[in-house]
Amino acid sequence: MTSAPPAPLETGVVSTRRGRPPAPSHFRPRRIAGVAALYGILAILILMPVALVVISAFTTTTPRPGNIDLTSLTLENFAAVFSPGALRAAGNSLLVGIGASIVALACGGFLAFVTARSNAPARRFLYFVGLVPMFLPSFVGALAWGLLGGPNAGLLNILARDLGLGQVINIYTLPGLIVVLGIYYAPYAFLLIHASFSLMNPDLEEAARVHGSTPAQVLRRVTFPLATPAILGSAILIFVLTVENFPVAQMIGSASGLDTLPTYIFRLMNSAPSRGNEAAAVAIALVIVVLVVTAIQRRIVSRRTFTTVAGKGLKLAKVDLGWFRVPALILGIVYFVVTTVLPLLALLFVAMHESPYVASVTGAFTSGRLNLDEFVDVLTDPTVQRATVNSVTVGVSAALIGTVLAFIVSYVVNRTKTPGRGGLGYISMIPLAVPAIVLGLGLLWTWLLIPLPVYGTLLVMVIAFVAAQMPQGYQGASSGILQIHADLEDSAVMHGASRTRAIWKVTAPLLRVPLTSTFLLLLMLSMRELTVPLFLFTTDTRLLSIIIFDDFENGILQSSAATSVLYCGLIFVLAYLARRFGADAPKGN
C-alpha cells in the first residue's frame, strides 16, 4: 500500500498545521481584495488620466467637476491633427527625434566603445564624462545653451565680437535643438551600449581573428552586429524621449517659432479659449507614434538571436587604437566641455554679472562687473525658499510612496499566485509609453474631476510624480525581488511567522540595497521633473523646476541662471547620495 504524495506548497501561503494542506491563494478573499485594491489605485493613478485624454479627444467638452459628457461624440477634434500647424510640428518632431538619436548614438556609443573595449588613456575619467550629463537636467542645459548661443546676446557670439570675429553660432534653430537634445540624452546610449560591449563573449571575436579578419573587419562584422539590440534599443529610447520632450523644445524653439508636437499641445491648452479637446486629439497621435516606433524596435530585435554571454568568466580583449588614443581622449574632453563645463560657466557668468545686459565678456572680468548679489537675492527670496521646500517635500514623498507602492505591486506580481496579478505589471508600465505632457494633461482633468480637495496642494504633485515614475519604480523593485529566492521567505512562514512578518523580517532587509537605489532614483527623477507638474502647479505649489522655467519665459535670465546653479548643486548632492548609499552600499551575504 502506497501513501498519497504530499500536497505541494503554494507560494505565498504555507499552512503550519500538520496534516492540513495549505489553501490555494486564489481562494483567499483577502488576497483577491488586496489585488482589487491595487487595481483601483493604479486605475486612478494611471488608467483614468489616460482614459480622460481619450474621451476628450472624441467629445466636444473637456472633463470638469461634476460633468463628463459622453453624448457629444465627434471626430472633428482630429482635424487639428491634420492642420498645417500640427503637420509642421509633427515633421519637426520627426526630424528632432531622428537627428537627436543620431547625435546621441554618436556621442554615447563612441564613449561606450572607448571606455569598454579600447586602450584609450583615462578611461575612468571618460566613463564619468559619459554619465555626468544625466545629472544636469536637459532643460537647464537648454537654458545654458540659450545663454551661450543666442544670435545677438549669446556669450559665445559676444566673445567672438570681443575678438574681432562675427557671429559663430545660433542655437535657436532646428539643428541647434537637435544637438542640445542629442548631447543631453547621449548618456542613455552610453549606459546601454557600454553594458553590451562589456558582456560580449570574446571567443567570437577571437574566432574571426583566427580566420584572418583584420581588427576593423572584426569590429564591423562581429562586435558591432552583436551590440545591435543595445544600439537599436537606445536609439528607439532616445527617439521616444526626444520626440516627447517639452521643455527643451519650448526653450529653444519658442524664440524662432519652431513647434514640436509637445509644444503644439501646450499652446493649444494655453490658448484663449483653451482648445483642450484638440490638444487631446494631438496627444493621442503622439502616443500612437511612440507605440508604433516601440513595436517596430521589438519586431526587428526579435528576428535575430544575440545571446553571447556564457557561464564562464571571460576577459575581453582591448582594441588597440594606435595613433587615435590621444584624439579619442580629446574628443571625450570636448564632449565634457560642451555638455557640462561651458553650460555651468555660462550660468555662473550670467548670474554673477551686475546687469542682465552683457556688452563684453572680457570686459566683465577686467572691470570688476561680477558679484554674488544675484545668488544672495535668490537664496533670500521667499518664493525660491518655498519652491525649494516644495521640491524636497514632493520629491521625498513621491519617492517614498512610489517605492512602497512599486514593491507591493511587484511582490504581488512576482511572488503570489493570485488570479489577475499580471495585469498590475502591464498597467504599471503604461506611463513609459505615454508622453509626460499627455500624462500631465490627463492628471489635470482627473484631479479636477475627482471630488477630493487635492488640486492646488502638494499632494496632487506627489500623486502625479508617483504615477509618472511608476515604471521606473516597478522595474527597480522587480529586479531586486527576482534575485531573491522565495524559499528564504517561505522557510520563515513554515517556522510559524505570518506572511507579513516574513516579508518584513526576511525579504525587506535583503532588498535594502535595490529598494534604496529605487528610492533615490525616484527622488532624483522627481527633482528633475518639469513637464508633468506644468499643468498642476499653483502660486503656492511651485517647484524649483517651475521657478526656473517661469523666470526664463518671463525674460528674468539672471534669476533663472542663479536658481539653475543651486538646482544643479542639489541634484549633484542627490547623485552622490545615490552612489554612496545605493550602488556602493554593502550587499550583505
Side-chain angles (χ1 to χ4, degrees):
M1 181 175 179
T2 59
S3 59
L9 292 177
E10 189 73 29
T11 301
V13 181
V14 180
S15 175
T16 58
R17 298 183 182 180
R18 294 182 177 274
R20 183 176 177 181
S25 61
H26 56 272
F27 289 144
R28 300 219 170 199
R30 289 177 60 185
R31 290 284 179 91
I32 296 175
V35 171
L38 288 177
Y39 268 108
I41 293 172
L42 294 182
I44 295 174
L45 284 178
I46 299 171
L47 294 182
M48 187 172 178
V50 176
L52 289 178
V53 172
V54 175
I55 291 172
S56 298
F58 289 95
T59 58
T60 58
T61 58
T62 56
R64 57 185 184 274
N67 179 37
I68 298 183
D69 188 3
L70 297 179
T71 60
S72 56
L73 299 178
T74 181
L75 294 177
E76 292 182 1
N77 297 322
F78 287 89
V81 177
F82 302 100
S83 66
L87 292 177
R88 280 195 301 271
N92 290 336
S93 291
L94 184 62
L95 291 175
V96 165
I98 295 173
S101 298
I102 293 173
V103 172
L105 285 176
C107 297
F110 170 76
L111 288 172
F113 174 76
V114 167
T115 55
R117 298 303 309 274
S118 81
N119 64 340
R123 290 194 300 278
R124 281 195 173 188
F125 168 71
L126 291 178
Y127 186 86
F128 168 77
V129 167
L131 288 178
V132 71
M134 291 192 74
F135 308 126
L136 191 71
S138 59
F139 69 89
V140 173
L143 166 63
W145 270 102
L147 299 174
L148 285 165
N152 298 315
L155 297 179
L156 292 179
N157 291 321
I158 294 174
L159 180 61
R161 288 200 296 269
D162 291 343
L163 301 176
L165 304 175
Q167 179 178 307
V168 295
I169 186 174
N170 180 8
I171 204 68
Y172 294 123
T173 60
L174 184 61
L177 175 58
I178 288 172
V179 170
V180 170
L181 282 170
I183 61 177
Y184 284 106
Y185 281 99
Y188 293 90
F190 171 76
L191 286 172
L192 291 172
I193 298 175
H194 185 279
S196 178
F197 281 145
S198 301
L199 292 173
M200 283 184 181
N201 189 333
D203 289 349
L204 301 173
E205 295 176 331
E206 184 62 30
R209 284 190 287 267
V210 168
H211 286 81
S213 297
T214 64
Q217 290 174 329
V218 172
L219 290 176
R220 187 174 68 253
R221 297 177 179 177
V222 179
T223 307
F224 293 138
L226 288 175
T228 297
I231 295 172
L232 184 59
S234 57
I236 298 300
L237 174 63
I238 294 165
F239 177 87
V240 170
L241 291 175
T242 52
V243 163
E244 69 178 42
N245 182 282
F246 165 75
V248 176
Q250 178 70 10
M251 286 180 160
I252 293 180
S254 60
S256 57
L258 181 69
D259 257 336
T260 61
L261 284 176
T263 61
Y264 189 73
I265 292 170
F266 183 74
R267 285 204 304 108
L268 289 175
M269 281 297 298
N270 284 274
S271 61
S274 177
R275 300 163 64 185
N277 298 98
E278 294 173 86
V282 178
I284 288 178
L286 182 56
V287 172
I288 291 174
V289 169
V290 171
L291 293 176
V292 168
V293 171
T294 305
I296 292 173
Q297 181 258 346
R298 289 182 178 179
R299 182 175 179 82
I300 293 174
V301 173
S302 66
R303 289 180 176 178
R304 295 176 59 189
T305 300
F306 301 89
T307 304
T308 64
V309 180
K312 55 181 179 178
L314 298 169
K315 186 176 181 180
L316 292 169
K318 298 295 182 183
V319 177
D320 185 4
L321 296 181
W323 64 269
F324 192 65
R325 292 179 71 244
V326 174
L329 174 60
I330 292 174
L331 288 174
I333 294 173
V334 169
Y335 175 76
F336 179 58
V337 170
V338 169
T339 58
T340 307
V341 177
L342 276 179
L344 289 178
L345 288 177
L347 294 172
L348 282 169
F349 181 88
V350 171
M352 294 174 65
H353 199 267
E354 64 179 4
S355 75
Y357 305 103
V358 180
S360 171
V361 173
T362 56
F365 291 97
T366 58
S367 59
R369 295 179 179 175
L370 302 179
N371 56 64
L372 297 175
D373 292 347
E374 191 63 40
F375 285 104
V376 173
D377 291 342
V378 166
L379 288 172
T380 57
D381 185 350
T383 301
V384 175
Q385 293 174 351
R386 188 185 305 113
T388 303
V389 173
N390 289 346
S391 293
V392 174
T393 301
V394 170
V396 172
S397 301
L400 180 60
I401 296 172
T403 301
V404 172
L405 179 61
F407 170 74
I408 294 172
V409 172
S410 179
Y411 183 90
V412 171
V413 172
N414 295 295
R415 283 291 176 86
T416 73
K417 301 295 183 181
T418 309
R421 67 191 184 282
L424 296 172
Y426 289 112
I427 296 175
S428 298
M429 298 303 295
I430 285 177
L432 206 60
V434 179
I437 196 164
V438 178
L439 189 61
L441 188 61
L443 286 164
L444 167 67
W445 288 332
T446 296
W447 294 102
L448 284 176
L449 196 65
I450 293 179
L452 293 176
V454 298
Y455 182 77
T457 67
L458 291 180
L459 180 57
V460 76
M461 295 287 194
V462 173
I463 293 170
F465 285 5
V466 170
Q469 294 155 15
M470 191 63 193
Q472 293 88 342
Y474 176 75
Q475 287 180 324
S478 294
S479 63
I481 287 176
L482 292 173
Q483 288 178 339
I484 297 176
H485 204 287
D487 286 352
L488 297 172
E489 184 183 309
D490 290 340
S491 177
V493 175
M494 292 181 67
H495 284 81
S498 66
R499 178 61 58 179
T500 302
R501 183 175 176 80
I503 294 172
W504 180 252
K505 293 293 185 179
V506 178
T507 306
L510 292 173
L511 289 172
R512 180 177 61 85
V513 172
L515 289 182
T516 299
S517 298
T518 300
F519 169 82
L520 291 169
L521 171 64
L522 298 185
L523 177 59
M524 288 185 63
L525 290 175
S526 297
M527 292 295 297
R528 291 162 52 99
E529 184 58 56
L530 169 61
T531 309
V532 169
L534 205 57
F535 293 112
L536 302 171
F537 80 93
T538 62
T539 303
D540 295 327
T541 59
R542 283 185 291 183
L543 309 178
L544 279 175
S545 56
I546 299 294
I547 292 288
I548 294 170
F549 182 76
D550 275 352
D551 285 347
F552 174 84
E553 288 285 284
N554 294 319
I556 314 174
L557 297 183
Q558 283 183 293
S559 177
S560 184
T563 308
S564 294
V565 173
L566 299 175
Y567 182 58
C568 290
L570 187 57
I571 290 177
F572 273 116
V573 169
L574 293 176
Y576 169 77
L577 292 175
R579 183 166 182 80
R580 175 67 178 83
F581 298 106
D584 288 348
K587 299 292 190 290
N589 296 325

